[in-house]
């Protein structure tokens, strides 16, 4: 029988998902440690061998597609003009492409900033600035600086279209560049998808080679995108459907990992209260935020720092644990697996903190303006109050006995009355842990991806 | 020829939206590209919008009587942001109640506004001045 194999090269585990094409079913999943220091092929083959044993080699794999966050994932530097406008739009586009944004720069860059960029470990630069027909001095200056410093990484140019010709002239054959649509063509509109796709393409064609993954490329059909981009694609497919298959509507995904917590929302987030004025930059319909200080292992200490003892205690069932000792244990030993009841309770309390804070940062908020007539409310960011679905993924949620409790921590409470977190969403679970695989499937057969997502993502 | 660009908005905690819509419509019809940042706009939003779009002028409206406080320092911030010769116009009901207009006008001119309009000024008046001021600059 014919099957697709989807591979997710994670920082810790290489996960395999085998899909029966005709029956549209998950045949088996398997994982092994990622072996990026030596050769990722080793870990991949280990997992594949186990998978084949499980299925007695009954399946004929006709396509092997991968996503990857191994070797540090995709690291991008975003450059714009005004911090709240094009620099922010560039940052959002890079996040939507599944990247880690290591730093955002704005205005005309100086020598020491270029020095810093040159010495960074960025894989790519997203260069924006100016609306179409708007400011062009700054992006042109910044292109000249990039040229002067001979940056050797790809530059995605997504700024004022009127400056493109000049930038092409500046870069010439010296700098690798890719021109795409402006991330902010006019002031009230942001346009992140073309930049997102351009970034993904460069990642697929170039970045993965640079990360010592070229060997494994010979045994598979391609590494298509960074893992978070794949999760976002799956979320979009489930939410919006395809031409032939209906989606389930607006939703958010909470993905708690070892180092970071990602939140993706597929929703416009228009105000649900009448008379609220929108402020700030337009929100992309598909929005990803990533919290580098919230994660179950590598970031355990910063979770505690972000939460404080009181919030941790709020979520802990057993209060006789030494919180500081527990977080240190996890951060110094990232492969630590919680086994007894107390340890599991501690992990889940940490997960609840991640859920709570990451959703608070992702969702919009209300602000009150005191005017002579009385109070006027303004909204910044997305209003997710009436969001119908919240979908959980990531090891700690998928493996939990009480995934609903963790997801509940991401919902609205009166402790944060101005936050626009989801109020009463239905909770969904990525039970088989297949979101990233399904994101890859959207690239082959989107209709099938929508159908499988609707089958395998369950309500809890 | 490229269209001239005007950033338009109602400053401060002011939510009067009707005049803003009319100005947007009239300016657009007169051939300007309007960057409308809407009501409840702090000074920073006017400035940021003007920087990104490389605007030629900023039209500030204030209706609710607090125009003077809300507009203070706008010219200085524009200078700080490198918008050295951007045209600054203000109109609406820019001060509380009925005050001596010449006096009001002088106070706003001193603040660095290029043009100051009394209550009920038609959009066309401002547009005519804008066309004139811009053509002087060539
Ligand atoms: C409708 C209205 C409201 C509505 C607004 C609805 C909305 N979302 O727009 C509501 C009920 C919410 C409201 C609230 C308030 N209002 Co009121 N409101 C009015 C009213 C009746 C009409 C405003 C209007 O829409 N005019 C029509 C438009 C087309 O005219 P315009 O805004 O003046 O704009 C034109 C020109 O002025 C000019 N223009 C404007 N800006 C600029 C800028 C430039 C550069 C140029 C060239 C031209 C220009 O072009 C426009 C096109 O013709 C006026 C009274 C009046 N008749 O003007 C009071 C008035 C503006 N409000 C007033 C006040 C005090 C308030 C409140 C503070 C309290 C109150 N008493 O209700 C609150 C403030 C709320 C807030 N935070 O903003 C006062 C202001 C007093 C002052 N400045 O000394 C007024 C003058 C009434 C009065 N006589 O007391 N208001």
């Amino acid at each position: 029988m014919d099957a697709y194999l989807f591979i997710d090269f994670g920082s810790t585990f290489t996960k395999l998902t085998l899909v029966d094409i005709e029956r549209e079913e998950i045949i088996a999943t398997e994982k092994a440690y990622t072996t990026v220091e030596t050769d990722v092929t080793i870990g991949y083959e280990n997992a594949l061998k186990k998978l084949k044993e499980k299925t007695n080699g009954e399946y004929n794999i006709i396509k092997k597609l991968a996503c990857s966050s191994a070797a540090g994932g995709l690291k991008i530097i975003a450059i714009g003009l005004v911090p709240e406008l094009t620099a922010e739009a560039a940052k959002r586009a890079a996040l939507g492409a599944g990247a880690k944004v290591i730093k955002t720069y704005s205005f005309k860059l100086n020598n020491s900033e270029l020095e810093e960029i040159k010495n960074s470990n960025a894989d790519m630069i997203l260069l924006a600035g100016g609306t179409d027909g708007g400011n062009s001095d700054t992006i042109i200056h910044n292109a000249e600086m990039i040229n002067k410093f001979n940056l050797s990484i790809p530059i995605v140019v997504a700024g004022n279209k009127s400056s493109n010709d000049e930038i092409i002239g500046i870069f010439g054959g010296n700098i690798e560049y890719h021109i795409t649509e402006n991330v902010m063509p006019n002031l009230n509109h942001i346009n992140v998808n073309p930049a997102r796709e351009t970034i993904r393409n460069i990642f697929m064609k170039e970045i993965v080679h640079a990360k010592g993954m070229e060997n494994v490329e010979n045994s598979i059909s391609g590494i298509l995108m960074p893992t978070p981009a794949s999760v976002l694609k799956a979320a979009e497919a489930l939410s919006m459907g395809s031409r032939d298959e209906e989606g389930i509507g607006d939703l958010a995904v909470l993905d708690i990992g070892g180092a970071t917590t990602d939140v993706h929302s597929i929703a416009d987030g228009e105000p649900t209260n009448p008379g609220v004025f929108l402020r700030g930059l337009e929100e992309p319909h598909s929005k990803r935020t990533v919290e580098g200080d919230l994660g179950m292992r590598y970031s355990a200490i910063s979770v505690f720092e972000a939460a404080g003892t009181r919030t941790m205690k709020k979520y802990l069932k057993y209060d006789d644990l030494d919180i500081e000792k527990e977080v240190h244990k996890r951060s110094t030993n990232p492969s630590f697996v919680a086994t007894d009841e107390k340890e599991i309770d501690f992990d889940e309390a940490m997960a609840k903190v991640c859920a709570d804070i990451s959703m608070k940062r992702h969702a919009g908020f209300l602000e009150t303006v005191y005017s002579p007539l009385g109070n006027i409310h303004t909204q910044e960011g997305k209003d997710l109050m009436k969001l119908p679905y919240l979908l959980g993924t990531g090891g700690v949620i998928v493996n939990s006995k009480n995934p609903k409790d963790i997801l509940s921590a991401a919902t609205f409470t009166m402790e944060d009355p101005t936050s626009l977190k989801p109020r009463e969403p239905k909770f969904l679970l990525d039970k088989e842990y297949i979101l990233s695989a399904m994101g890859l499937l959207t690239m082959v057969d989107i209709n099938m991806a929508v159908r499988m997502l609707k089958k395998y993502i369950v309500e809890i | 020829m490229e269209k001239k660009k005007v950033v338009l908005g109602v400053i401060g905690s002011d939510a009067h939206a009707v005049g803003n819509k009319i100005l947007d419509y009239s300016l657009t019809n007169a051939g300007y590209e309007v960057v409308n940042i809407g009501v409840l706009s702090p000074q920073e939003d006017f400035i940021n919008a003007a920087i990104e779009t490389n605007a030629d002028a900023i039209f500030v409206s204030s209706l609710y009587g607090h125009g003077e406080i809300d507009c203070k320092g706008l010219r200085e911030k524009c200078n700080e942001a490198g918008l050295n010769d951007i045209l600054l116009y203000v109109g609406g009901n820019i001060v509380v109640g009925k005050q001596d207009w010449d006096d009001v006008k002088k106070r706003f001119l001193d603040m660095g506004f290029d043009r100051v309009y009394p209550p009920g000024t038609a959009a066309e008046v401002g547009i005519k001045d804008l066309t004139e001021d811009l053509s002087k600059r060539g």
Side-chain angles (χ1 to χ4, degrees), chain A residues 277 371-374 376, chain B residues 8 13-20 22-23 40 58-66 89-98 115 117-123 125-127:
Chain A
F277 291 90
S371 91
L373 186 68
I376 302 175
Chain B
L8 175 69
S13 315
D14 193 339
H16 289 92
V18 185
N20 173 265
I22 293 184
L23 285 166
L40 294 169
I58 296 178
F59 270 35
V60 178
S61 294
S62 177
L63 281 305
Y64 69 158
H66 302 271
Y89 290 15
V90 63
N93 293 290
I94 56 177
V95 290
V96 181
K98 295 229 179 319
R115 302 262 183 186
Y117 298 97
T121 304
V125 177
I127 293 171

Side-chain angles (χ1 to χ4, degrees), chain A residues 82 86 130-131 133-135 279, chain B residues 5 13 40 45 48-49 51-53:
Chain A
V82 174
T86 46
T131 52
N135 180 291
R279 291 196 32 77
Chain B
K5 240 169 273 169
S13 315
L40 294 169
D45 287 11
N48 287 340
I51 296 175
E52 287 284 3
T53 60

Side-chain angles (χ1 to χ4, degrees), chain A residues 173-188:
Chain A
N174 189 32
I175 300 284
E176 180 192 334
Y177 65 89
H178 304 260
I179 306 267
T180 183
E181 284 173 39
N182 197 343
V183 288
M184 204 173 90
N186 56 58
L187 199 76
N188 301 321

Side-chain angles (χ1 to χ4, degrees), chain A residues 37 57 111 148 152 157 177 179 193 234 239 294 299 309 381 421 452:
Chain A
E37 290 84 10
N111 286 330
K148 180 173 141 195
S152 54
V157 181
Y177 65 89
I179 306 267
N193 286 341
S239 167
L294 302 176
S299 316
T309 313
K421 284 173 161 186
M452 286 193 69

Side-chain angles (χ1 to χ4, degrees), chain A residues 133, chain B residues 1-7 31-33 35 49-51 53-59 75 83-89 114 130 133-134 137-138:
Chain B
M1 209 188 75
E2 220 172 85
K3 283 184 179 176
K4 295 286 183 186
K5 240 169 273 169
V6 182
V7 171
Y32 287 95
E33 187 175 332
V35 180
I51 296 175
T53 60
N54 206 22
D56 303 283
I58 296 178
F59 270 35
R75 174 58 81 188
L83 299 166
N84 294 333
D85 42 30
I86 193 160
L87 290 169
L88 284 184
Y89 290 15
D114 298 283
L130 178 66
D133 289 353
L134 287 173
R137 300 188 163 186

